[in-house]
Amino acid sequence: MKRYVRLAGIAYESLVNGPGMRRVYFAQGCKHNCEGCFNKETHDFNGGELKDMDELIKDALSNPMLKGITFSGGDPLEQSESFAYMAKKFKEAGLNIWCYTGYTFEQVLENMKKDSGLRELISNIDVLVDGRFELKNKKEELKFKGSSNQRTIDVKRSLNSREIIVLE
């Protein structure tokens, strides 16, 4: 059975979306509509194109230079089941996984209670960069995020300790 995800695009080798050489999947669809968003073309839920997830996974795993995978957007959490499937496969292959979302970690934890796809996605992510992009808090010197209100969260440690652990 073929499984599909709707993507706005792919960065095949990126050094700016998390540590090390990464494959970045840009989800199509976002509800946040942040002022100053640099990926506005990813907002339309009917845009982008459907991609076969097993082909995407196979292609990424064939590149020995990749140290990790990043899900960006749009907002990957809007397609939580599809990204959960990919995250699980990449995690099984030993890759580090980062995910960007406009939702706060607190909102994600609340939504996980009723969304099994989201629960599985979060359980396979190493780092979540959370929060809406805020133009007034934009700072060029920030590493791996666009505005100072966003947090770079160690997901495993945060889930285990039941408190949000922010990485510096």
Side-chain angles (χ1 to χ4, degrees), residues 152-166:
T152 307
I153 297 170
D154 182 323
V155 175
K156 297 281 181 274
R157 285 179 50 214
S158 295
L159 291 175
N160 289 337
S161 69
R162 297 186 186 271
E163 64 180 344
I164 297 173
I165 308 293
V166 177

Side-chain angles (χ1 to χ4, degrees), residues 32-35 101-103 130-134 147 149-150:
H32 306 295
N33 201 28
C34 302
E35 181 187 352
T101 182
Y103 295 103
D130 82 331
R132 294 167 52 96
F133 170 76
E134 295 178 352
S147 57
N149 61 295
Q150 295 172 313

Side-chain angles (χ1 to χ4, degrees), residues 91-152:
K91 201 78 205 139
E92 287 169 357
L95 290 171
N96 169 274
I97 302 174
W98 279 44
C99 184
Y100 286 79
T101 182
Y103 295 103
T104 64
F105 195 58
E106 293 83 353
Q107 290 171 314
V108 171
L109 292 173
E110 189 59 33
N111 291 333
M112 281 171 54
K113 294 175 184 172
K114 57 186 181 288
D115 184 338
S116 62
L118 182 58
R119 244 186 337 270
E120 184 167 1
L121 174 57
I122 295 303
S123 72
N124 283 293
I125 290 174
D126 296 296
V127 174
L128 184 75
V129 179
D130 82 331
R132 294 167 52 96
F133 170 76
E134 295 178 352
L135 195 55
K136 68 178 190 263
N137 290 316
K138 179 181 179 181
K139 301 216 176 4
E140 297 294 336
E141 69 275 7
L142 293 172
K143 195 169 186 178
F144 304 132
K145 59 187 181 180
S147 57
S148 59
N149 61 295
Q150 295 172 313
R151 300 174 294 183
T152 307

Side-chain angles (χ1 to χ4, degrees), residues 19-95:
M21 183 68 70
R22 310 182 75 77
R23 175 79 39 100
V24 185
Y25 298 101
F26 294 93
Q28 183 69 43
C30 184
K31 295 176 181 173
H32 306 295
N33 201 28
C34 302
E35 181 187 352
C37 176
F38 70 96
N39 271 350
K40 279 215 180 290
E41 66 281 357
T42 68
H43 293 187
D44 180 359
F45 283 85
N46 298 309
E49 57 184 289
L50 288 175
K51 297 283 195 178
D52 181 318
M53 290 188 286
D54 289 311
E55 287 180 18
L56 295 174
I57 294 163
K58 183 179 173 193
D59 184 61
L61 295 180
S62 73
N63 183 341
M65 292 185 353
L66 294 181
K67 300 293 179 241
I69 301 293
T70 299
F71 302 141
S72 191
D75 196 320
L77 273 55
E78 303 296 354
Q79 298 183 66
S80 61
E81 287 187 13
S82 295
F83 282 98
Y85 176 78
M86 294 201 319
K88 187 171 192 278
K89 298 293 186 187
F90 288 131
K91 201 78 205 139
E92 287 169 357
L95 290 171

